[in-house]
Amino acid sequence: MKTHLLKWHEGVKLEVWFSYTENYRVFKAFSVEINGKKSNWTGLKKYLECKERPRMITVNTHFGEPEVLEKDRHRSERHKVHEIEEFFNSISDVS
């Protein structure tokens, strides 16, 4: 499951891409662009009121075990992506 989030904060364009999938393994990808230039968490946190990262960004999924049932895997994917969306949406929109 993937999400692309876009915010304008004080004239700065913030974009986040996050994907999380569970099949035979757990895969996670997170990337940030600020004003169209590749960045990372450190660059993004300057614009955040809460400096704590969502756990899903920091957790090591290399040894993660996917859920056994397909419906549980999909629920887990939706939950993880929703966690990132909620966090990013907490950034105030300022044009």
Side-chain angles (χ1 to χ4, degrees), residues 26-39:
V26 176
F27 296 97
K28 169 186 77 165
F30 175 77
S31 63
V32 174
E33 282 188 13
I34 299 174
N35 281 335
K37 295 182 180 171
K38 196 167 184 96
S39 189

Side-chain angles (χ1 to χ4, degrees), residues 1-80:
M1 184 165 221
K2 298 178 183 179
T3 190
H4 171 240
L5 305 160
L6 170 65
K7 285 275 190 176
W8 286 93
H9 182 77
E10 298 178 359
V12 176
K13 181 180 175 185
L14 306 172
E15 289 185 274
V16 171
W17 289 268
F18 180 76
S19 69
Y20 181 88
T21 55
E22 291 186 16
N23 42 43
Y24 64 95
R25 291 208 31 219
V26 176
F27 296 97
K28 169 186 77 165
F30 175 77
S31 63
V32 174
E33 282 188 13
I34 299 174
N35 281 335
K37 295 182 180 171
K38 196 167 184 96
S39 189
N40 56 22
W41 177 260
T42 304
L44 180 62
K45 76 178 183 180
K46 292 188 285 190
Y47 303 97
L48 306 176
E49 294 189 20
C50 174
K51 306 296 185 197
E52 289 289 318
R53 298 182 216 198
R55 185 175 183 280
M56 194 61 248
I57 292 175
T58 61
V59 70
N60 180 351
T61 60
H62 181 72
F63 298 105
E65 290 291 325
E67 298 289 338
V68 175
L69 298 175
E70 183 178 8
K71 69 180 178 89
D72 293 334
R73 288 193 297 270
H74 291 303
R75 186 184 71 237
S76 178
E77 289 172 359
R78 283 191 305 273
H79 173 75
K80 302 296 195 278

